[in-house]
Amino acid sequence: MARAASTARVRSGVTLGLTRLAEIAVLVFRKKTAVVGISLILILAVLGGLAPILTPYSPVMREVVAADFAVPEWAASPEIARNIVKVFDTFKVENRVIQGNVEVNVLRTSGGFEVVFEGSGYASLLIVTEDYLEYPYKPARSMDVRIAFNTTYLEGRSEAWYNVDTVIINKDLVERGEKRALRVTLPDGRVTEFEVPRGIYSLYDVVTTRVGWIYDYFKGALRVSAPAVLPNPMRNMLQPYILSIKDPVIRDRVSQAFGEVNAARELLLERGTKIYLAVNVTYYCDPMNFMMRCENGGLRVSYAPIRLFIKGEAFGVLGTTAYGNDVWTQFIYGARSAVVLGLAVATVTTLVALVFGLVAGYRAGTYTDHSITLLTDIIYFIPVIPLVMVVGLVFGRTLWNIYAVLIATAWPGGARIIRQWTMTLRSSLYVESAKALGASEWRIMIKHIAPQLVPYLVYRIVMAVPGVVFFEAGIQLLGFGDPEAPTWGRMINEAYYQGAFLMNAWWWIIPPIAGLIMLAAGFVLFGMALDEIVNPRLRR
């Protein structure tokens, strides 16, 4: 019977609690301000919750998804370059030169090729992709070519000399004999023009990438996995037609002028043309060469598929940052951080204020009350922003340290208000009855006083969230925030310091500011509705 009575009381309590929640929900949703506020909060919460589904990218890894400062696709004209990814995995030998006693075998592998050289002499193979990419847009500003190959020496053979040069070719431009003229000022003051060919560009050359290397060939086993990123001023200066200039002074002047040329836009890409990739493999083994001696050498060159990524200047929903990162990814993960961490920090701060306020108010006039009051007065005088800076310098600029400082310094205001409420409620009849029944102080505070403060606590949490998020954004803008945290504050910081205002990158500047305004408006409108419900003077 006792168990049945206890179960009945629990069910009755649950039913009463649900009834009260339903009544509060009805009152809340009768307020238009509450409906608008909750709608704004829910929009941001849904975006943050579905972030892994809405974007394939990570806000921490910061993948390069397009060109820097790419505009949103919906705001760009159709001829503006979009992303193009092409994997070249079929190759053919277009040209072969063999001198001496060299045996050459070319084998197809899974997506690539393998060349085996054996013997003494010289051999050169030009291996070209069988497929091509037809470029349909205005010339893009940048591209990324992923190159991967390894070289090994055959067992029992001497180490031969060799070179592997990966070249990108626009056959249409080459066949038309297109040139790019450079205006060069010579040491004697004369201005002359130097022409460089369009449509052919060396992306990665084993020999020229070796600083201080004096030989025409390389010796040693290699494993290469490297991106060739254009534009690249240093790679411009290592092109064969630049290195072939005999006069070092003229070569230096031409190199300086050519270093300013964007090879992707001005030399390789043109609308309606076809782009190929080529690999020039050379082999050298001469037993009579004293400096580069090799006898009966053997070499294997294994080349993987080549991935060409032409970075679009229009991308996604919100374009890209100064480093080609997706703004949409940063925005929706920032929404998640704002809603979740904002609510969490506001809730913890309010709970800390509740504990100190209850204890101080219930024991008003005692040593405990005086101590807590003194502590709140001391914390009021602590400058929060300098404290965040010091904590960041000592313990690291992490989001948790920033919020820990905020929690430690933001509770005194709420604690004072709760203290006043508690002093009023402790003289209530139901509190006196609980004392008479022998209830402990903590039971009275938690069971009988704290529930009466729930409307204020909810209101305080709701109204504190915007302050929490704005505080983090302000710290980020000052440069003392977490550089890895996916927050709107970091977005604003990076947009400000990485040239978004100079480049008029509105798609990067507006979203975090709009998100902060939406969040603040949502919680403020919701808080105003709650205030009207719980405050009789504001009821209509």
Side-chain angles (χ1 to χ4, degrees):
M1 293 294 293
R3 176 178 293 182
S6 176
T7 303
R9 284 196 298 271
V10 170
R11 288 178 178 174
S12 176
V14 171
T15 302
L16 182 61
L18 292 175
T19 302
R20 288 178 178 175
L21 287 175
E23 292 174 353
I24 294 172
V26 170
L27 290 174
V28 168
F29 282 101
R30 282 179 180 173
K31 302 289 184 181
K32 293 181 180 179
T33 54
V35 173
V36 174
I38 292 173
S39 299
L40 292 175
I41 296 169
L42 284 177
I43 290 172
L44 295 175
V46 169
L47 285 176
L50 297 179
I53 299 173
L54 296 175
T55 176
Y57 308 110
S58 166
V60 178
M61 299 303 294
R62 304 193 188 192
E63 299 99 325
V64 176
V65 298
D68 54 287
F69 293 113
V71 302
E73 286 190 341
W74 52 268
S77 58
E79 66 269 13
I80 296 297
R82 267 64 171 178
N83 279 355
I84 297 179
V85 178
K86 172 72 173 177
V87 177
F88 295 93
D89 54 6
T90 57
F91 301 84
K92 64 180 179 181
V93 178
E94 188 167 280
N95 190 29
R96 181 193 304 247
V97 177
I98 299 176
Q99 299 173 0
N101 300 318
V102 182
E103 293 184 7
V104 181
N105 290 312
V106 182
L107 307 172
R108 287 182 179 268
T109 60
S110 57
F113 65 87
E114 184 176 274
V115 185
V116 180
F117 300 93
E118 294 183 80
S120 300
Y122 168 84
S124 176
L125 272 71
L126 181 62
I127 301 173
V128 181
T129 57
E130 293 181 345
D131 200 3
Y132 62 85
L133 168 66
E134 186 166 355
Y135 189 70
Y137 304 112
K138 286 182 177 180
R141 288 181 282 116
S142 56
M143 66 172 64
D144 184 328
V145 185
R146 298 285 167 168
I147 298 167
F149 65 90
N150 63 76
T151 60
T152 56
Y153 290 109
L154 302 181
E155 188 175 351
R157 300 275 187 168
S158 62
E159 296 185 354
W161 296 76
Y162 66 93
N163 189 28
V164 180
D165 185 13
T166 304
V167 181
I168 184 170
I169 300 171
N170 186 322
K171 284 192 175 181
D172 298 306
L173 298 180
V174 172
E175 290 172 358
R176 296 203 306 257
E178 296 277 353
K179 304 287 185 181
R180 169 67 160 82
L182 303 174
R183 292 181 62 83
V184 181
T185 303
L186 300 178
D188 58 7
R190 289 184 297 113
V191 177
T192 185
E193 284 193 353
F194 183 88
E195 292 185 335
V196 298
R198 293 186 65 203
I200 184 167
Y201 191 89
S202 173
L203 296 168
Y204 186 91
D205 184 284
V206 169
V207 172
T208 59
T209 53
R210 297 301 183 273
V211 177
W213 191 261
I214 60 174
Y215 298 105
D216 293 333
Y217 301 98
F218 180 77
K219 185 178 182 180
L222 282 177
R223 181 176 294 274
V224 174
S225 178
V229 180
L230 297 182
N232 186 337
M234 293 302 298
R235 192 65 206 160
N236 283 12
M237 300 175 187
L238 297 175
Q239 296 302 304
Y241 36 81
I242 302 297
L243 298 176
S244 63
I245 301 174
K246 301 299 183 183
D247 189 321
V249 176
I250 296 177
R251 183 171 63 243
D252 181 62
R253 296 295 177 90
V254 174
S255 296
Q256 291 179 12
F258 191 40
E260 299 176 1
V261 173
N262 185 326
R265 168 164 283 182
E266 301 180 40
L267 298 183
L268 296 169
L269 299 180
E270 188 173 284
R271 193 170 187 175
T273 57
K274 298 179 179 63
I275 298 167
Y276 297 78
L277 270 296
V279 182
N280 188 18
V281 184
T282 55
Y283 171 89
Y284 180 78
C285 182
D286 185 359
M288 304 303 294
N289 190 324
F290 177 75
M291 297 295 296
M292 302 171 61
R293 181 176 175 80
C294 168
E295 187 172 356
N296 196 25
L299 176 72
R300 176 181 285 105
V301 179
S302 301
Y303 215 103
I306 304 174
R307 179 180 181 270
L308 173 63
F309 174 25
I310 299 177
K311 301 174 184 176
E313 296 180 36
F315 178 83
V317 180
L318 292 177
T320 64
T321 68
Y323 294 101
N325 311 130
D326 185 26
V327 176
W328 171 248
T329 298
Q330 295 185 5
F331 174 75
I332 58 178
Y333 275 97
R336 170 188 283 189
S337 298
V339 175
V340 174
L341 294 179
L343 279 171
V345 173
T347 302
V348 173
T349 304
T350 302
L351 290 177
V352 173
L354 174 65
V355 171
F356 281 101
L358 282 174
V359 173
Y362 193 81
R363 297 181 178 179
T366 65
Y367 176 77
T368 301
D369 177 34
H370 295 321
S371 300
I372 294 175
T373 302
L374 177 62
L375 179 62
T376 58
D377 292 338
I378 292 173
I379 292 177
Y380 262 123
F381 285 98
I382 296 177
V384 181
I385 293 178
L387 181 60
V388 170
M389 296 177 181
V390 172
V391 170
L393 291 172
V394 176
F395 299 103
R397 292 161 48 196
T398 67
L399 201 60
W400 306 113
N401 288 340
I402 294 172
Y403 283 143
V405 171
L406 185 59
I407 291 170
T409 57
W411 59 268
R416 284 186 170 184
I417 295 174
I418 293 171
R419 176 180 178 273
Q420 297 298 325
W421 278 83
T422 305
M423 289 173 61
T424 302
L425 293 172
R426 70 175 181 172
S427 58
S428 301
L429 292 177
Y430 60 87
V431 173
E432 296 296 335
S433 300
K435 287 181 182 178
L437 293 173
S440 65
E441 291 183 349
W442 280 105
R443 181 175 177 82
I444 292 172
M445 285 187 284
I446 295 173
K447 183 75 174 177
H448 300 285
I449 297 179
Q452 305 301 316
L453 302 174
V454 168
Y456 168 73
L457 297 177
V458 174
Y459 172 76
R460 178 177 172 79
I461 291 172
V462 169
M463 298 301 287
V465 172
V468 171
V469 179
F470 274 101
F471 178 80
E472 187 273 339
I475 293 297
Q476 288 280 11
L477 189 59
L478 290 174
F480 286 90
D482 189 340
E484 299 299 327
T487 65
W488 289 332
R490 192 194 78 182
M491 288 182 67
I492 297 172
N493 172 276
E494 292 178 348
Y496 180 78
Y497 289 105
Q498 294 177 11
F501 290 88
L502 294 176
M503 297 297 294
N504 194 27
W506 52 267
W507 58 88
W508 188 9
I509 301 167
I510 293 176
I513 297 175
L516 289 172
I517 294 173
M518 281 183 64
L519 183 81
F523 279 99
V524 168
L525 291 174
F526 185 33
M528 289 171 58
L530 289 177
D531 197 20
E532 289 182 12
I533 293 170
V534 301
N535 191 340
R537 292 176 298 174
L538 299 177
R539 290 177 187 168
R540 297 175 183 175

